[in-house]
Amino acid sequence: MSEEVKEMMEVLDEHLVVRDREGRPVLQVALLATLYFENAYKREVREAVVSCCDDYFRRCGHRLRWALNPDTEVMEPFDNGRGSNPRSWLVGLGEDEGFSLIYHGAEYDRGASAFYASALGLPRRPFVELGFFRMAFPLLWFADSSESLSEVMLEVCRKLKPVSGYAGIGVVESPDSSISNLYEPVVYDWAQRFPGLEVDYPICHLSWLRKGRGGGGGIKGVDWLTVLGERWIVEMGGVDKIEADLGALDSRFGIRRFEGGVLIQAGPHPQLGDAERNVWPELYVKLSKYLKPIRITEHRPFHYAGPGLRFDLDRSEAWLRRFDDR
């Protein structure tokens, strides 16, 4: 990691945190990754989700403090209840049962932390539904590590076979909607300033990834790391064509293949941009325009109603196409 990037990360670590009146973090900027997958009701998919959780626990379990109890749906201390051991119950669920996992490292059980993982899987339905796996790390977590976020993403992709996904610098909010709702105007404000910042509401996005492109499915958009599953690869003309196109577009793009998909890396490090200085993340803009044929264009509002500027319907859809005119 260059000194310039490291300095940017340190500034973000220090300043892009919002605390409540008691001084507890309720918004946190972090390295954030989200992957969407099909057939969450199948045993082998749930095995993959558990394996991804195990990997996250291996890396960050010593920094986690809370886990969602699957019976009470209340946060309990990590390593002190059923929520901390999804292998003991998730795989054995029936196909007519869904699951929700949340883990984080904030001191406050409803706080926000850069140590965070979550997953959602819906019961079997007569139509295709998506589930998601989400994980976060502090901005400098991989700075002095033999691992990288892209390698971790590939590891998860090989297990989950996602249909799409993305990773970069994003906002982690409180797992409690009554708290996160209060700070939505801050998220909106950050997103207007930093176009490369990922605004992420996977539960909100799920159905629109199936129908948000004139009734058909699509990808949410692009980030530093962008994952395309087989369906979107075919629609874009195949892996070889994508590699050739992106190589011609900019030599800084990197493509890694895995069974059933590809991971596209937009340069050596994440980009934020700064709209106030008219600085836009160049590679994100190029990639977004290239993948426009498979990007969703329709979505419901990201945010609930309330005081202050938020992501209402128009602003949410405008954010999805924010790179188009750059």
Side-chain angles (χ1 to χ4, degrees):
M1 179 179 292
S2 70
E3 286 303 312
E4 179 185 0
V5 174
K6 191 170 184 178
E7 182 179 347
M8 178 192 74
M9 297 290 202
E10 289 172 346
V11 169
L12 290 175
D13 256 342
E14 180 180 354
H15 294 292
L16 286 194
V17 177
V18 172
R19 302 176 186 274
D20 64 13
R21 292 179 179 177
E22 284 71 41
R24 302 172 298 196
V26 288
L27 284 181
Q28 174 75 59
V29 171
L31 293 174
L32 182 64
T34 304
L35 293 157
Y36 299 93
F37 55 88
E38 295 179 344
N39 303 321
Y41 63 89
K42 291 186 175 181
R43 182 183 180 91
E44 61 268 27
V45 176
R46 293 176 175 183
E47 288 271 13
V49 170
V50 169
S51 181
C52 292
C53 288
D54 287 343
D55 290 340
Y56 190 82
F57 298 161
R58 174 174 54 80
R59 292 183 175 95
C60 304
H62 64 293
R63 303 299 294 271
L64 296 176
R65 290 189 173 97
W66 302 99
L68 183 69
N69 184 296
D71 300 319
T72 64
E73 297 186 350
V74 172
M75 303 303 290
E76 63 186 10
F78 184 73
D79 263 350
N80 191 29
R82 289 189 76 210
S84 306
N85 185 16
R87 185 169 296 280
S88 69
W89 58 270
L90 196 158
V91 177
L93 292 177
E95 292 187 350
D96 59 345
E97 296 178 275
F99 63 87
S100 179
L101 307 174
I102 301 175
Y103 307 97
H104 71 81
E107 293 185 14
Y108 175 40
D109 64 345
R110 295 187 290 169
S113 170
F115 294 102
Y116 176 90
S118 65
L120 179 75
L122 299 175
R124 183 169 190 165
R125 301 280 175 79
F127 48 85
V128 174
E129 284 279 16
L130 296 178
F132 70 81
F133 178 78
R134 196 174 185 228
M135 57 185 174
F137 303 89
L139 292 172
L140 297 175
W141 183 254
F142 297 103
D144 300 311
S145 172
S146 60
E147 292 187 310
S148 65
L149 182 59
S150 59
E151 290 294 338
V152 174
M153 278 284 279
L154 273 174
E155 179 182 86
V156 177
C157 287
R158 291 178 182 126
K159 293 180 178 182
L160 283 181
K161 307 293 190 299
V163 297
S164 66
Y166 41 83
I169 300 175
V171 185
V172 180
E173 302 182 46
S174 166
D176 187 307
S177 61
S178 67
I179 294 176
S180 62
N181 174 260
L182 297 174
Y183 298 94
E184 288 171 351
V186 179
V187 176
Y188 177 77
D189 184 59
W190 285 354
Q192 302 314 295
R193 171 76 184 270
F194 303 110
L197 186 70
E198 189 65 52
V199 177
D200 200 31
Y201 299 96
I203 294 176
C204 176
H205 303 324
L206 289 177
S207 61
W208 295 96
L209 294 176
R210 290 194 296 104
K211 63 182 182 181
R213 189 168 54 117
I219 67 170
K220 177 186 167 189
V222 306
D223 206 326
W224 178 47
L225 305 176
T226 302
V227 174
L228 304 180
E230 189 63 36
R231 175 182 174 184
W232 311 124
I233 293 171
V234 170
E235 193 162 332
M236 290 300 298
V239 177
D240 292 340
K241 183 176 186 302
I242 292 172
E243 286 184 335
D245 289 346
L246 291 181
L249 190 61
D250 197 301
S251 62
R252 291 172 291 176
F253 284 116
I255 296 184
R256 304 282 296 276
R257 302 189 187 201
F258 61 90
E259 184 181 351
V262 296
L263 183 150
I264 302 169
Q265 181 168 326
H269 54 75
Q271 299 174 287
L272 271 181
D274 187 342
E276 288 189 4
R277 296 188 292 122
N278 198 30
V279 175
W280 289 73
E282 178 189 4
L283 293 181
Y284 295 18
V285 172
K286 290 181 177 181
L287 183 59
S288 182
K289 289 180 177 179
Y290 175 69
L291 295 178
K292 186 174 181 178
I294 59 172
R295 283 174 22 223
I296 61 172
T297 56
E298 304 161 81
H299 205 288
R300 73 169 177 83
F302 294 171
H303 288 163
Y304 301 106
L309 291 178
R310 299 167 185 253
F311 276 110
D312 60 11
L313 178 59
D314 290 341
R315 295 186 188 111
S316 298
E317 293 185 345
W319 185 85
L320 291 173
R321 58 177 186 269
R322 66 197 181 282
F323 297 131
D324 287 358
D325 297 326
R326 300 296 159 183

